[in-house]
């Protein structure tokens, strides 16, 4: 095997070893189609011990009304038809009030069909599990709902936002969960449910291979996005892409196809 390729693979394996559930790459594989783990996390955050998830998809793509798409970290549905968007957020910058508003609007649009009775919209929850205490109140959870100010009563539009303080380490289920989200090793986790899945992905050959493929795909996607940006800004020529990014023929074809699709057709 080529030394460059071997070194790249070893670097990716080391990266996988250091992942926690606060890392996008790990979380994406960890929760995708895993009803048990997703149910466990929501049971604690929602304080509903018997909550059962019936569908869980990571990196769930939703198109907005202008045709542009956005991806939700984990999109889940429970047995009562309630919809959840679980976002893992390491940087405070990406977890502001308008981001949660945007995600909530996307979820409503995704559930809507032309002419439907709006009263049939499902109850939705946008949940941000943040590495830091973004709202700086020292609390484990922050629940945000609309209220009628003059009456000091809930508006009850069935749209909710929850922030989870990733720094919280209290002696309760949320503190235990946030501890587990920061662990690199399965043996350090409190939850058997999360530890078992972590062992599967980090300590078995099949799991490590799955994680490595996911990381490689992400790196490739990131490089393609950078290449497209550089082409659009005239910072690189088409015939320089392959050498500059070490693209395969397939990757180069994908970049050029996306680039030419984005170029306005001249009259």
């Amino acid at each position: 095997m080529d030394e460059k390729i071997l070194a790249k693979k070893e670097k990716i394996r080391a990266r996988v070893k250091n992942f926690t559930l606060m890392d996008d790459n790990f979380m994406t594989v960890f929760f995708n189609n895993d009803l048990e783990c997703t149910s466990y996390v929501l049971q604690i955050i929602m304080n509903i011990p018997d909550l059962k998830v019936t569908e869980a998809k990571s990196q769930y793509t939703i198109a907005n009304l202008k045709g542009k798409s956005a991806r939700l970290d984990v999109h889940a549905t429970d047995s009562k038809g309630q919809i959840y968007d679980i976002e893992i957020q390491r940087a405070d910058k990406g977890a502001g009030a308008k981001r949660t508003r945007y995600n909530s609007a996307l979820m409503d649009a995704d559930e809507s069909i032309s002419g439907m009775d709006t009263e049939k919209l499902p109850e939705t929850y946008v949940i941000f599990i943040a590495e830091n205490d973004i709202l700086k109140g020292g609390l484990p959870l922050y629940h945000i709902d609309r209220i009628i100010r003059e009456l000091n009563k809930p508006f009850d539009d069935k749209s909710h936002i929850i922030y989870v303080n990733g720094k919280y380490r209290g002696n309760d289920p949320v503190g235990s969960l946030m501890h587990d989200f920061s662990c690199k090793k399965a043996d350090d986790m409190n939850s058997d449910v999360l530890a078992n899945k972590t062992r599967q992905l980090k300590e078995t050959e099949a799991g490590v291979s799955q994680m490595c493929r996911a990381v490689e795909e992400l790196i490739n996607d990131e490089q393609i996005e950078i290449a497209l940006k550089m082409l659009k800004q005239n910072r690189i020529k088409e015939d320089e892409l392959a050498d500059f990014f070490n693209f395969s023929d397939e990757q180069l074809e994908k970049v050029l196809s996306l680039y030419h699709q984005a170029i306005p057709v001249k009259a």
Side-chain angles (χ1 to χ4, degrees):
M1 185 180 291
D2 183 272
E3 286 188 13
K4 270 188 167 182
I5 296 174
L6 187 62
K8 181 181 178 182
K9 287 187 178 294
E10 287 303 314
K11 190 174 181 179
I12 289 174
R13 280 180 172 262
R15 190 171 168 182
V16 168
K17 188 177 180 180
N18 287 314
F19 277 151
T20 73
L21 282 170
M22 292 303 301
D23 288 290
D24 281 347
N25 300 341
F26 191 48
M27 175 276 301
T28 293
V29 178
F30 194 98
F31 288 108
N32 192 41
N33 293 319
D34 194 312
L35 304 185
E36 184 181 24
C37 287
T38 309
S39 293
Y40 174 78
V41 170
L42 287 175
Q43 285 166 4
I44 292 175
I45 293 172
M46 300 296 296
N47 194 25
I48 303 175
D50 61 350
L51 188 153
K52 297 296 180 187
V53 168
T54 57
E55 184 180 45
K57 299 288 184 184
S58 59
Q59 297 303 315
Y60 183 81
T61 301
I62 297 179
N64 65 21
L65 294 176
K66 292 186 177 180
K68 295 182 179 179
S69 61
R71 286 187 297 185
L72 308 183
D73 283 352
V74 180
H75 184 270
T77 305
D78 70 14
S79 57
K80 295 182 179 179
Q82 297 181 150
I83 311 293
Y84 304 87
D85 163 32
I86 307 172
E87 297 290 321
I88 311 297
Q89 192 66 37
R90 302 202 79 157
D92 295 0
K93 184 180 178 182
K98 289 186 178 179
R99 168 76 185 280
T100 59
R101 173 183 167 186
Y102 179 67
N103 283 30
S104 183
L106 283 175
M107 292 168 72
D108 282 345
D110 192 49
E111 294 296 323
S112 302
I113 57 174
S114 179
M116 77 173 288
D117 180 357
T118 54
E119 290 302 313
K120 293 182 179 179
L121 277 171
E123 192 157 5
T124 62
Y125 292 84
V126 175
I127 299 171
F128 268 82
I129 301 176
E131 188 170 45
N132 299 311
D133 184 7
I134 290 176
L135 298 185
K136 304 188 186 305
L139 301 174
L141 301 171
Y142 303 90
H143 295 79
I144 296 102
D145 296 287
R146 289 189 176 94
I147 63 165
I148 306 169
R149 284 191 294 179
E150 288 77 7
L151 301 177
N152 194 29
K153 290 173 58 177
F155 187 54
D156 198 27
D157 62 349
K158 305 300 181 184
S159 174
H160 314 277
I161 296 167
I162 300 174
Y163 281 87
V164 186
N165 175 5
K167 290 292 186 187
Y168 180 73
R169 294 293 185 273
N171 188 26
D172 58 15
V174 176
S176 179
L177 181 67
M178 289 302 95
H179 166 271
D180 287 357
F181 263 66
S182 70
C183 291
K184 296 178 182 178
K185 298 179 180 179
D187 288 347
D188 295 334
M189 290 180 164
N190 298 313
S191 164
D192 289 338
V193 173
L194 299 183
N196 289 340
K197 184 62 179 284
T198 300
R199 285 192 187 93
Q200 178 190 330
L201 292 176
K202 286 193 169 194
E203 298 177 21
T204 69
E205 191 58 38
V208 172
S209 295
Q210 183 183 2
M211 282 304 311
C212 288
R213 285 195 303 272
V215 173
E216 285 190 80
E217 287 173 9
L218 183 74
I219 291 171
N220 289 338
D221 288 346
E222 288 173 347
Q223 285 187 318
I224 287 171
E225 286 182 15
I226 293 170
L228 278 171
K229 188 174 182 180
M230 290 177 70
L231 280 171
K232 290 173 183 176
Q233 294 175 347
N234 294 318
R235 291 164 54 196
I236 195 169
K237 295 178 181 178
E238 293 183 25
D239 58 7
E240 297 172 338
L241 287 171
D243 288 337
F244 188 86
F245 288 97
N246 196 28
F247 280 149
S248 65
D249 291 342
E250 184 181 353
Q251 290 170 316
L252 181 61
E253 184 180 346
K254 184 176 180 179
V255 172
L256 294 177
S257 175
L258 289 170
Y259 176 59
H260 290 297
Q261 286 174 26
I263 298 175
V265 178
K266 293 183 180 180

